Amino acid sequence: MAESRLSADSRNGAADHPAAPRDADMPGAGEGAGAAFLYDSVRNLLEQKIAVGEVPPGALLKEAAVATHLGVSRAPVRRAMAMLAEQGLIRPADGQGYIVGAARARRLSPRELHDILAPSTEDMNRSATWERIFARVSDEITALLPFGTYRIQEAELGDYHDVSRTVAREVLWRLMDVRLIEKDRKSHWIVGQMTARDVRDSFEMRRLLEPQALANVAPSLDLAWLEGLAGRIDAAIASFPACGAGEIDAIEHDMFEAMYQGVRNARMLGSIRRNQIALNVPRLFRQHFPIRDDLPALTLYSQIVRLLSTGSINAAQVLLRTHLERAEPLVLARLRVLAMLPAPATVPYIVAVH
């Protein structure tokens, strides 16, 4: 929902969030419910190399160096080494790092450590199980936004998508990060009904943030990518409405998600993502009704991309604001229409709140 809907009460469950690292620390796609986090992969790899002597007794292991040679972030290495210390395989050094076994500490040269660890980087599974199901769960939740309030059952979500409860919880926290769901006072995961206030608030934030983000990212946009996007938009306009809802959805994804990927201000980008929830309304609307009112938006998209291609950034910003001003009343009207439709069937882990 819009940021204003998240009261302090909705964050009361924050202490429930596992302390495990949240950046690419999750198990690989397809590993299923028993999958391990990336820190488990790091721990298992180091444990095996210690067991066979590839990492010799007395070797001084430092978090940053191990992370560098494995090609991972420091967070999973930190967690893995703490776990190995609990197992007694390594011990804290006097200062930074850990020493393997009980032998006297000795430093490994960067080349030695590279030769030990680098050949194993292909064995590190960095993809995340939460990523495997995130889009599906997001779609299942988004489809319900105009129709009422729902509760998500965490354990049932894991069962339904064949992942562990830890992975299910990670998905839910990430959905909360983008304001698709929230927590109530009892720490239940809640899908709140999207309201007109949510739409107005989100558009107000978008008008403030997105033109500036466009200016920030415009100099680094690939010209070939812009020309390809312009060609797709023009083709959609020429064949409208035969282009279909899916192509319009894909164009809007590129216009408002892919376009901003290069924004270096992570806080700005995060806020933009949280306030783009209203983009779900036209996507849902196109699933139920023929496309008719999207042609003016496509025309503005074409003009914006052409301006960016020629370096006319200020003019592109003006047209983006124009689009956002025009889009708000249309999205509000579409939300009202959607709210009158029968609520769709829910998946087993989502139950209506009466």
Side-chain angles (χ1 to χ4, degrees):
M1 304 337 97
E3 287 188 345
S4 61
R5 292 189 62 194
L6 282 180
S7 64
D9 293 328
S10 72
R11 296 192 177 274
N12 286 345
D16 297 334
H17 195 188
R22 294 181 54 192
D23 292 329
D25 296 347
M26 302 292 291
E31 290 179 352
F37 292 104
L38 179 54
Y39 60 76
D40 257 339
S41 296
V42 174
R43 181 196 63 183
N44 292 338
L45 178 66
L46 293 175
E47 183 178 23
Q48 180 183 13
K49 289 186 176 293
I50 290 170
V52 299
E54 286 187 55
V55 178
L60 177 62
L61 301 176
K62 292 190 175 182
E63 173 187 310
V66 171
T68 297
H69 291 293
L70 286 179
V72 299
S73 67
R74 294 175 65 166
V77 173
R78 183 182 310 124
R79 182 76 175 267
M81 294 175 77
M83 296 170 78
L84 291 172
E86 291 176 359
Q87 293 175 240
L89 295 177
I90 60 178
R91 68 185 196 274
D94 293 333
Q96 294 183 338
Y98 292 84
I99 302 167
V100 175
R104 177 181 297 180
R106 77 176 185 89
R107 293 181 179 274
L108 298 176
S109 70
R111 180 55 184 265
E112 286 179 293
L113 193 58
H114 177 82
D115 289 344
I116 293 168
L117 298 179
S120 304
T121 56
E122 292 303 316
D123 298 330
M124 300 295 300
N125 197 333
R126 297 174 179 76
S127 59
T129 293
W130 72 264
E131 292 177 332
R132 173 168 63 87
I133 68 168
F134 181 85
R136 290 165 58 194
V137 176
S138 179
D139 287 345
E140 289 157 0
I141 290 171
T142 298
L144 301 172
L145 290 176
F147 302 105
T149 301
Y150 299 84
R151 177 180 169 186
I152 300 173
Q153 301 177 99
E154 187 177 287
E156 286 78 357
L157 186 156
D159 292 340
Y160 182 75
H161 285 288
D162 192 26
V163 297
S164 69
R165 187 163 183 172
T166 302
V167 172
R169 182 174 295 182
E170 182 69 16
V171 168
L172 293 172
W173 276 101
R174 290 177 183 267
L175 289 169
M176 184 170 169
D177 285 345
V178 294
R179 299 301 193 265
L180 271 181
I181 63 176
E182 55 192 42
K183 274 202 164 191
D184 65 12
R185 295 182 182 182
K186 296 181 179 179
S187 284
H188 295 148
W189 298 102
I190 299 296
V191 183
Q193 184 172 16
M194 185 184 293
T195 67
R197 173 65 182 271
D198 295 327
V199 172
R200 293 189 186 98
D201 287 351
S202 68
F203 269 97
E204 181 178 8
M205 292 300 294
R206 290 186 67 193
R207 287 192 294 270
L208 291 171
L209 293 169
E210 292 189 33
Q212 184 58 52
L214 189 66
N216 291 356
V217 78
S220 62
L221 290 174
D222 181 72
L223 184 58
W225 181 81
L226 286 172
E227 291 175 348
L229 177 56
R232 287 172 48 217
I233 297 171
D234 291 345
I237 293 171
S239 64
F240 190 88
C243 59
E247 179 60 13
I248 298 177
D249 291 346
I251 287 170
E252 290 192 340
H253 172 275
D254 286 352
M255 285 293 304
F256 302 114
E257 295 183 49
M259 185 78 76
Y260 301 137
Q261 284 296 335
V263 173
R264 294 185 178 181
N265 186 329
R267 293 189 178 186
M268 175 185 285
L269 184 58
S271 188
I272 288 171
R273 294 287 180 256
R274 287 191 294 273
N275 285 287
Q276 286 182 331
I277 188 169
L279 283 171
N280 292 303
V281 174
R283 290 170 186 164
L284 285 173
F285 191 86
R286 294 181 196 119
Q287 294 174 14
H288 295 277
F289 300 97
I291 58 172
R292 346 188 132 146
D293 302 319
D294 294 290
L295 190 56
L298 287 173
T299 302
L300 279 176
Y301 299 160
S302 176
Q303 294 170 357
I304 290 169
V305 174
R306 297 294 183 195
L307 289 169
L308 291 172
S309 298
T310 59
S312 303
I313 298 173
N314 291 340
Q317 288 179 286
V318 171
L319 281 187
L320 177 57
R321 289 191 188 94
T322 299
H323 163 69
L324 293 172
E325 289 167 358
R326 292 180 180 178
E328 181 177 337
L330 179 58
V331 170
L332 286 168
R334 288 175 165 180
L335 180 63
R336 288 193 294 270
V337 172
L338 286 171
M340 293 187 289
L341 297 177
T346 63
V347 288
Y349 66 86
I350 300 178
V351 295
V353 176
H354 300 291

